[in-house]
Amino acid sequence: MKHNNDDERVTEIQLPSNNEIHDEALIQEFERGIGSQVFIFTPSFPFVFIGEITAVVGDNVVVDVQTTTIGELENRIWSIHIHQIEVFYIEQEGLPAIPELRDDM
């Protein structure tokens, strides 16, 4: 008779890591926001992006950027890796809108 510890079969259960769960939740949040305005703050240049989420490709958010910290970088499509996003806000019906930022005041 074979004992359990003599059994050569090993069952491995692979659970997703906290980082994988976090990343997937962010991806799903941005996918739900496709077509909505978004504010994204990153720790690296150009720091701020405001525009419309047009797609999610893998773990990148594609944004049609209308406003950023450098005017020459506006009105372009940006692909932003979710690991580079420090803070974000996606407009939703019934919640506050992202204010229009202007420098002509």
Side-chain angles (χ1 to χ4, degrees), residues 69-85:
T69 52
I70 305 296
E72 290 79 10
L73 303 177
E74 296 176 348
N75 301 311
R76 300 180 193 283
I77 303 297
W78 282 81
S79 179
I80 306 163
H81 194 268
I82 63 166
H83 291 131
Q84 292 300 312
I85 298 172

Side-chain angles (χ1 to χ4, degrees), residues 10 17 20-21 27-28 32 47 52 57 59 78 100:
V10 176
S17 70
E20 290 170 326
I21 293 168
I27 290 167
Q28 289 176 9
R32 282 191 294 274
F47 310 113
E52 181 183 330
V57 180
D59 57 358
W78 282 81
E100 184 178 332

Side-chain angles (χ1 to χ4, degrees), residues 1 4 15-16 24 27 29 36 40-41 45 48 52 55 59 66 70 74 79 84 91-92 94 97-98 100 103 105:
M1 176 179 227
N4 283 343
L15 299 174
E24 187 58 33
I27 290 167
E29 188 70 21
S36 299
I40 295 176
F41 183 75
F45 182 81
V48 174
E52 181 183 330
D59 57 358
Q66 288 94 40
I70 305 296
E74 296 176 348
S79 179
Q84 292 300 312
E91 283 187 357
Q92 297 177 32
I98 297 169
E100 184 178 332
D103 61 1
M105 300 180 100

Side-chain angles (χ1 to χ4, degrees), residues 6-49:
D6 292 339
D7 194 346
E8 293 179 14
R9 293 177 293 159
V10 176
T11 302
E12 286 187 36
I13 299 174
Q14 298 215 358
L15 299 174
S17 70
N18 286 340
N19 285 339
E20 290 170 326
I21 293 168
H22 176 264
D23 290 354
E24 187 58 33
L26 280 176
I27 290 167
Q28 289 176 9
E29 188 70 21
F30 282 106
E31 285 175 338
R32 282 191 294 274
I34 291 174
S36 299
Q37 287 291 111
V38 66
F39 167 88
I40 295 176
F41 183 75
T42 65
S44 56
F45 182 81
F47 310 113
V48 174
F49 302 88

